[in-house]
Amino acid sequence: MDPVLLGHLGGTGTGSFSELSEILGSSISLAEYLAASAAELAVKKKVNKYAHLLDNYIFVPFAVETFGPWSHDAKVLVSQIGQILISITGDRRCTTYLRQRLSIAIQRGNAMSVLGTLPESSPLDELFLL
């Protein structure tokens, strides 16, 4: 039995994951729908895609979901880089600053992706003059 998905699916108000899957035209499982699972799924796909490089290179997939969850590998990599920064600078807040900077860069990239899909329009120009 599928778990109930609350929300609006085809006007019914509730639905199951299989109904959502049919609406989206793909097969998604409960694990793929849960928080942070999309990032972990992306990691698996990237590791499979670049498996031929693993003999000669260090490959760390860095996956972040749209609403914020980071993959385990991304968290570990940022923590390791943060520890190196702490040892160099002595500032214990380096890892926090690094996470914040990366989050802002991701948000800016997402915003540019969205803005790139909009047609050019002069009425929107006045919004950016503030």
Side-chain angles (χ1 to χ4, degrees), residues 79-115:
S79 293
Q80 290 174 345
I81 294 171
Q83 289 302 316
I84 293 168
L85 290 171
I86 289 170
S87 68
I88 292 170
T89 66
D91 188 348
R92 309 260 334 140
R93 300 172 292 180
C94 283
T95 307
T96 302
Y97 294 153
L98 178 60
R99 284 189 185 107
Q100 290 172 354
R101 293 292 302 257
L102 289 170
S103 295
I104 290 170
I106 291 166
Q107 289 174 7
R108 285 181 178 164
N110 288 343
M112 294 306 296
S113 294
V114 170
L115 290 175

Side-chain angles (χ1 to χ4, degrees), residues 1-6 15-18 20-21 26-38 41 65:
M1 178 169 202
D2 283 339
V4 173
L5 175 67
L6 299 176
S16 68
F17 283 97
S18 59
L20 177 63
S21 175
S26 65
S27 175
I28 61 172
S29 68
L30 177 59
E32 291 174 285
Y33 194 77
L34 296 175
S37 61
L41 184 62
E65 287 188 37

Side-chain angles (χ1 to χ4, degrees), residues 46-62:
K46 289 296 180 185
V47 168
N48 289 338
K49 182 177 180 178
Y50 296 108
H52 64 282
L53 298 175
L54 297 178
D55 293 334
N56 299 320
Y57 299 96
I58 297 172
F59 174 73
V60 179
F62 195 98

